[in-house]
CSV table of all heavy atoms in Angstrom, one decimal:
chain,number,residue,atom,x,y,z
A,3,LYS,N,12.2,9.7,-4.5
A,3,LYS,CA,11.0,10.6,-4.8
A,3,LYS,C,10.3,10.2,-6.0
A,3,LYS,O,10.9,9.6,-6.9
A,3,LYS,CB,11.8,12.0,-5.1
A,3,LYS,CG,10.7,13.1,-5.4
A,3,LYS,CD,11.3,14.4,-5.8
A,3,LYS,CE,10.3,15.2,-6.3
A,3,LYS,NZ,10.9,16.6,-6.7
A,33,HIS,N,4.8,-7.2,-0.5
A,33,HIS,CA,4.4,-8.2,0.3
A,33,HIS,C,5.2,-8.5,1.5
A,33,HIS,O,4.9,-8.9,2.6
A,33,HIS,CB,4.2,-9.6,-0.5
A,33,HIS,CG,3.2,-9.4,-1.6
A,33,HIS,ND1,1.9,-9.4,-1.2
A,33,HIS,CD2,3.3,-9.4,-2.9
A,33,HIS,CE1,1.1,-9.2,-2.4
A,33,HIS,NE2,2.0,-9.3,-3.4
A,56,PRO,N,-7.2,-6.5,3.3
A,56,PRO,CA,-6.1,-7.3,3.9
A,56,PRO,C,-5.5,-6.6,5.2
A,56,PRO,O,-4.7,-7.2,5.7
A,56,PRO,CB,-5.0,-7.2,2.8
A,56,PRO,CG,-5.4,-6.1,1.9
A,56,PRO,CD,-6.9,-5.9,2.0
Side-chain angles (χ1 to χ4, degrees):
K3 178 182 171 183
H33 297 292

